[in-house]
């Protein structure tokens, strides 16, 4: 059976973009067709300045929301990254396989290091090396596929390069994975800045719909979404990115086609109203199920504990084999 791995980073509250770009596909498709492992990748949240208590809270919230969205522990493995030591164990071996040059070419490192310096902050070494940890996340499980957004494709390419290089130098050890992307709404844009991705770490939340926003907040944010000059409702990401984003959201929420939906509307206001109501209804069951799960933290703890045990059982033999392949003496 095909094996897949993907994860979410607890650096902010999960958004509509996270749900439509990744989580919904995990729920509706991936957990049913493959041996699927999904992780709250909390170690990745440590690459920048952070509040420890907030990371813990967001990690639990993310796990609870993934369950609320429909991940089924009977069908997939859900766990927290730091609960499985093999991620960190393998990351060092891959650091010994990667080069300084290829890590410094990573687009996200370039962008985030510039922002950190502009803010007068130091650039943590982990910001440079975290793509190697991401590679370890994937390779530790022999994953065949990695469902990712467009902005993470470069990191999967690095993972492939490291797997091939390790296999060539030390003998075949790792499966070489491939990135997969959903066809619809893979990239949801900020409602106030439709040229930028709807990211959970954005400082201004006015253009971001969070999964736990109440119905009125969702309506308000969508009704205040930035639109484009002119009056015609057309689906054109280059000329009318604001309207295209709304049409993408409406299509994703209703199962429609954004280009066909454009022909239904004669005004921006009507499009916004219908999009707002469609998104409210899309998120309603997730919020309601989250409230139930948040009231039963023992259940969430049990799911994460059992998920970590299963993940550990899958990863440890492969990582042990990598330790032997690279030349490390086995423990007695």
């Amino acid at each position: 059976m095909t094996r897949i791995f993907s994860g979410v980073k607890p650096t902010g509250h999960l958004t509509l973009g996270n749900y439509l770009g990744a989580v919904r596909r995990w729920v509706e498709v991936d957990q049913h067709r493959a041996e699927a492992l999904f992780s709250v990748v909390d170690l990745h949240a440590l690459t920048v300045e952070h509040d420890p208590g907030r990371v813990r809270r967001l990690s639990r919230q993310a796990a609870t929301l993934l369950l609320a969205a429909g991940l089924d522990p009977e069908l997939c493995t859900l766990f927290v990254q730091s609960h499985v030591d093999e991620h960190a164990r393998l990351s060092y071996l891959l650091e010994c396989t990667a080069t300084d040059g290829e890590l410094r070419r990573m687009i996200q490192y370039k962008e985030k290091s510039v922002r950190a310096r502009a803010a007068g902050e130091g650039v943590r070494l982990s910001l440079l090396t975290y793509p190697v940890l991401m590679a370890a996340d994937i390779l530790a499980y022999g994953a065949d596929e990695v469902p990712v957004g467009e902005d993470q494709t470069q990191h999967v390419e690095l993972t492939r390069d490291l797997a091939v290089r390790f296999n060539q130098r030390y003998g075949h050890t790792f499966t070489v994975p491939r990135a997969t992307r959903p066809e619809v709404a893979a990239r949801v844009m900020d409602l106030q800045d439709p040229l930028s991705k709807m990211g959970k770490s954005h400082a201004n939340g006015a253009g971001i719909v969070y999964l736990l926003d109440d119905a009125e907040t969702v309506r308000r944010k969508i009704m205040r979404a930035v639109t484009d000059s002119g009056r015609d409702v057309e689906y054109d990401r280059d000329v009318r990115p604001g309207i295209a984003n709304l049409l993408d959201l409406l299509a994703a929420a209703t199962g429609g086609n954004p280009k066909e939906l454009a022909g239904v509307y004669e005004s921006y206001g009507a499009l916004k109203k219908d999009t707002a109501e469609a998104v409210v209804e899309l998120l309603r069951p997730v919020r309601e199920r989250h409230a139930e799960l948040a009231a039963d933290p023992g259940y969430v703890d049990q799911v994460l504990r059992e998920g970590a045990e299963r993940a550990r059982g899958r990863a440890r033999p492969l990582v042990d084999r990598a330790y032997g392949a690279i030349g490390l003496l086995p423990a007695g």
Side-chain angles (χ1 to χ4, degrees), residues 168-191:
Q168 290 174 342
R169 290 179 180 176
Y170 309 115
H172 184 77
T173 306
F174 298 118
T175 299
V176 181
R178 62 184 180 276
T180 59
R181 293 207 300 271
E183 296 178 0
V184 179
R187 193 170 177 83
V188 178
M189 312 307 282
D190 190 289
L191 294 169

Side-chain angles (χ1 to χ4, degrees), residues 5 30 107 176 224 306:
F5 175 92
D30 291 332
I107 294 172
V176 181
R224 293 178 179 176
E306 293 176 354

Side-chain angles (χ1 to χ4, degrees), residues 169-329:
R169 290 179 180 176
Y170 309 115
H172 184 77
T173 306
F174 298 118
T175 299
V176 181
R178 62 184 180 276
T180 59
R181 293 207 300 271
E183 296 178 0
V184 179
R187 193 170 177 83
V188 178
M189 312 307 282
D190 190 289
L191 294 169
Q192 292 298 313
D193 180 10
L195 298 179
S196 298
K197 177 183 172 183
M198 185 182 284
K200 58 182 177 292
S201 303
H202 200 287
N204 180 7
I208 303 170
V209 174
Y210 298 103
L211 296 189
L212 293 180
D213 279 346
D214 60 50
E216 286 309 309
T217 300
V218 173
R219 291 188 183 98
R220 183 174 65 253
K221 288 181 177 179
I222 293 177
M223 294 303 294
R224 293 178 179 176
V226 168
T227 52
D228 314 293
S229 59
R231 295 174 178 271
D232 296 333
V233 179
E234 296 178 339
Y235 185 78
D236 188 325
R237 277 213 162 272
D238 295 324
V239 177
R240 288 188 165 86
I243 292 301
N245 191 38
L246 290 170
L247 288 166
D248 276 336
L249 289 177
L250 181 59
T254 62
N257 179 288
K259 292 184 179 180
E260 294 176 359
L261 286 169
V264 174
Y265 293 94
E266 297 182 355
S267 71
Y268 293 173
L271 172 61
K272 286 183 174 182
K273 184 176 184 299
D274 284 359
T275 302
E277 292 306 318
V279 171
V280 165
E281 290 308 311
L282 178 73
L283 297 184
R284 188 187 307 279
V286 177
R287 288 200 311 274
E288 291 175 352
R289 179 59 177 152
H290 176 272
E292 295 172 0
L293 291 169
D296 186 11
Y299 171 73
V300 177
D301 288 341
Q302 179 183 348
V303 168
L304 295 178
R305 183 169 57 251
E306 293 176 354
E309 290 174 359
R310 287 199 300 273
R312 199 176 299 119
R314 288 173 173 81
R316 183 164 293 169
L318 193 153
V319 175
D320 285 347
R321 190 161 70 247
Y323 267 58
I326 205 170
L328 299 177
L329 190 67

